[in-house]
Every structure is written in C-alpha cells, then in structure tokens.
Amino acid sequence: MKYKNYELTVGLETHIELSTKTKMFCSCEVGFAGEPNSRCCPVCLGLPGSLPVINRQAVEYAVMAGLALSCKINNSSYMDRKNYSYPDLPKAYQISQFDVPLCYDGFMTLSTGKVIRITRIHIEEDAGKLVHNKGETLVDYNRCGVPLIEIVTEPDFSSSEEVREYVEKLQHLMRYIGVSDCRMQEGSMRCDVNVSVKTAGCETLGVRTEIKNMNSVANMIRAIEYEYTRQSKVIEQGGMVTQETMRFDEAKGVTIPMRSKEDARDYRFFREPDLLCVHLDDKEIEDIKEKIPMLPSDKIKVYTEELGLSITDAQHLVKYRRISEYFDEVVRLSPCAIKASKFIIGQMFSLFSTEAEKEAFSVKVSPSQLAELVALFCEGKINSNLAKVTLDKMLLSGKGAMEFLSEEDMRGFTEEELYILCQKAIEQNPNVVSDYKGGKDKAIMALVGFVMRESKGKANADKAKETLKKLMTD
Ligand code: ADP
Ligand code: MG
Ligand code: ZN
C-alpha cells in the first residue's frame, strides 16, 4: 500500500445462516434455490395474528458457535424488533437482538499470534430476496425468517491479510462444528466490512465507511484496499471522510455510496412482545458444550505432539471434519498413526476433487479395514508397496485386505533372502558395479531396483541398499 503515513483499521460483521431444518420462528423448511415463495407461511410473512415460536436448534447452534469462539453466554438474552421498511421485509421489522445478545466477549487467534476480539454474537432472522430482472423487480420470500447469527468483531484488523485469515478460519470452524455450510457464493455467509484510516501512531480511530454484503473473500480484499486508498487520498487532500454505507461494484472495482434503509439510523428497537426471553441455565449451556467436537486447533496439537505427525499433515487432516474423525477411528484401532495418515492424505484424499466430495469423504474402506492394513504393514508382514497396491484394490471393491493377500505375500522377507538377492544383483550387473566402484554413487539404485523387482516388491529398499553397499566394499 502506498500511503505510508496512514494505517488501516477494519472491523467485521459476519452473517451466517444456520443449518437448521426449519426457520427461526416457524416450521417452514430452510433450503437453497427452489420455486420462489414456496417456503413461506403467515409467521415468516408477518401476517396479522400470527405468532412466532423460537427454534431451539437455532439457539443451540448459536451457542455452539459462541463457545467455539471462546465467547461468554448470557443466561438470559432478549429478542428485539428492528424496525425498517424495505420490500424484502414483509413485516417491516426484523426480529433480532439489540442490547443483550446471546454471546459476547470472545476471540480468535490468528497464525501470527494476534488476537481478534469478538464483541458479540446475536441471533436474528434473514430477510427475503429481491430478484431484478429486465427492468422489473420480483420478491422471493423463501429466505424470510431463515435463522442467522451475526458475529461482530472489534476494529482489530490492521491489514487485508488478517481479514482473509479470519474469514477463512471462521468459515472452517463453523463448518467443522456443523452449524453452517458457510457458502459465500450462495449467501449463507456474508460480511459487512467497516473500514477507516488514521494517521500512523494516532490513538483515535478515523471515520469509517461500511461496505455491505460482501460475498467473496477476494472481493472483500479488493474493497478494503480500494477504500484504504480512497480515504487516504481524501485525508491527504485535507478533506474529511464521510461516515456512510456503501456497496462494492465488482465489475468496476469501486465502492459506491448506497442510498438505502441503512441511512436511517433510528431503527426504533424495542423488545419483541410476542416472544419470551431466551433463557439458558448453566446446565443447558454445559450440555450444548458437550456436543461440540474437539476443535481443529486442539486436534492439530494432539496430532503433532502426541501422534508425531507433521504440522502440514495435521492441517490436512483437520481441514474436513469427516476425514479427521475417520483418521481418529483408524488410530484408535491401529498403532501406527503416521502410516495411517499417509494413506489417508495420499491415496484416499486424492480420490476426490471437489470441495463437496472432500467434505462428504465417502470411501468404501471402513476405518477398521484401513487399521487392519496399517497393522500388517507396521508388523512388517507386508511392505509399503504391497500395502499401497492392496489399498487401491480395497478402495475399488470395499473388501478387506485379507481378500487380496496370500500367506506367501505376508511371509515377509528374511535377511538371508535379501542377502542372496543382493549377491545375485551384483553378479548379474557387472557394469553397474564397476560404475559404482568408479565413483558413481547413484548407480547403486539400479541394483536396488533389481532386488525390488526380483523380490516382487517385498524387500525393503533401504535395507537392500545397505546390504549392497556392504557387499561392494568388502
Ligand atoms: P453499527 O451497529 O452502526 O454497524 P457498531 O459500532 O456496532 O456500528 O460497529 C460495527 C462494526 O464496525 C464493528 O465490527 C466495529 O468493530 C466496526 N468499527 C467501529 N468503528 C470503526 C472504525 N473507526 N474503523 C473501522 N471499523 C470500525
Ligand atoms: Mg453495521
Ligand atoms: Zn414460515
């Protein structure tokens, strides 16, 4: 960034749709796409006389999200009406939480060690969708009343890279604990980005603009960088930044002030009279805590510190919850975690190409079948190559390792047999031997190859190399 004298400050408000079966206050189904206005009822349309009932699962998911981000949970929080008029909001108010949110005071630690404070997480309902088409605008209320959480951070980000890491980590975490699919393109995760600049070293923050409804990380970064430059220029030229709500024009790559509902600052919040407060006693909060799986960051610690995996392999395994749970199960049944991780990351992971496939991780080999194969390898009954070939057959057929391995295969390979084969390799390849003795160290690999072929892959390549070296220096 070229404005050296100005520092960037960003705060994020992230909306995440919860993966509940039904909406926040009625039993209409939650879903993506489909026939417009096919998933609505008097409650989510706000027809007179209808009464909302709070979705317990949504509250539970929101608490899970809060706990995963180290938030405190209010035993009693309140639903409020946020009043505004807009065509996508048939009730002319949104049920949200104003002064007493469900969760507060959390944080997320970035890879640099920097802590991003989470101010609050509250529950609310989504609005409908306006569909602009050839000069006319249609309204689809299917999304009306879909449960949302809004996660608000303190203005703690000082670069767009930090924003990227936060959003990606948040997305991973929420998917991992199973509260949302967080698909930015489909709108199940959307970010409002608050941006300001201030003179380097200055204590007070500058005036901010808020860019609404960003639906990709790449665009968020473009928008932040554009705003940083624009605001820096304004200040440098002696002007003042106006606090306003903006949208990002993806095609032009610029932010544009919006004249919208957000201009009216007064939402006339008041308690939702049709709902009781959201009450959770400590026992209920504990019970919800039990439902959260071990978080990716904690798992990475166990994998590296207790199981001896590399950090890269550990990160690979926790990227998708099913894969890491599959791995956990294999490790529970077999002693060799490192080998198991290599099979999963290498041979099994490469079967899938799309994100959805990786997330589903549907393989024909059960954890206990893989554990059996890994055990055969660890006990030295089969070598790495045979294990690999066998796993391929298992993945295609869903059958266990023993279906493909004979007594002969599992007999292993004795020191003596190896010795005899190495001698044979030397006898039959005099040219290679003289190359090696003449100083071409790499020539030995040709002899190792010979031994591997003759033993049908059963010999251990490292041991063969060692034996060959000894034989040729004696
Ligand atoms: P509102 O409710 O009007 O959107 P809030 O005070 O709740 O305003 O702040 C919303 C978001 O704006 C928060 O994420 C906060 O961190 C961020 N924010 C507040 N002040 C600044 C600032 N000066 N620069 C950047 N972000 C800011
Ligand atoms: Mg806001
Ligand atoms: Zn409904």
Side-chain angles (χ1 to χ4, degrees), residues 9-13 152-155 194-196 205-208 210 265:
T9 303
V10 176
L12 293 183
E13 296 159 279
V152 184
T153 75
E154 291 293 307
N194 297 271
V195 185
S196 67
L205 296 178
V207 175
R208 77 186 145 115
E210 177 174 4
R265 281 283 120 184

Side-chain angles (χ1 to χ4, degrees), residues 415-443:
E415 296 269 321
E416 207 182 319
E417 283 171 300
L418 181 68
Y419 192 81
I420 294 168
L421 262 191
C422 287
Q423 274 180 325
K424 189 173 168 192
I426 289 170
E427 273 165 32
Q428 296 196 1
N429 297 282
N431 294 344
V432 181
V433 174
S434 64
D435 279 352
Y436 178 77
K437 288 189 170 164
K440 278 195 196 159
D441 284 351
K442 281 193 183 143

Side-chain angles (χ1 to χ4, degrees), residues 8-13 82 98 117 119-120 150-157 192-197 204-210 212 243 262 265 267:
L8 170 74
T9 303
V10 176
L12 293 183
E13 296 159 279
K82 179 177 180 176
F98 182 50
R117 292 168 297 164
T119 319
R120 56 185 276 156
E150 179 173 337
I151 304 175
V152 184
T153 75
E154 291 293 307
D156 284 346
F157 301 93
D192 297 344
V193 186
N194 297 271
V195 185
S196 67
V197 301
T204 47
L205 296 178
V207 175
R208 77 186 145 115
T209 57
E210 177 174 4
K212 282 275 177 197
Q243 177 163 354
E262 302 304 328
R265 281 283 120 184
Y267 290 119

Side-chain angles (χ1 to χ4, degrees), residues 56-80:
R56 201 180 170 82
Q57 182 68 66
V59 175
E60 201 169 298
Y61 279 167
V63 171
M64 284 169 78
L67 292 172
L69 289 163
S70 308
C71 286
K72 299 181 179 116
I73 311 296
N74 268 317
N75 292 115
S76 295
S77 63
Y78 297 89
M79 304 308 301
D80 300 284

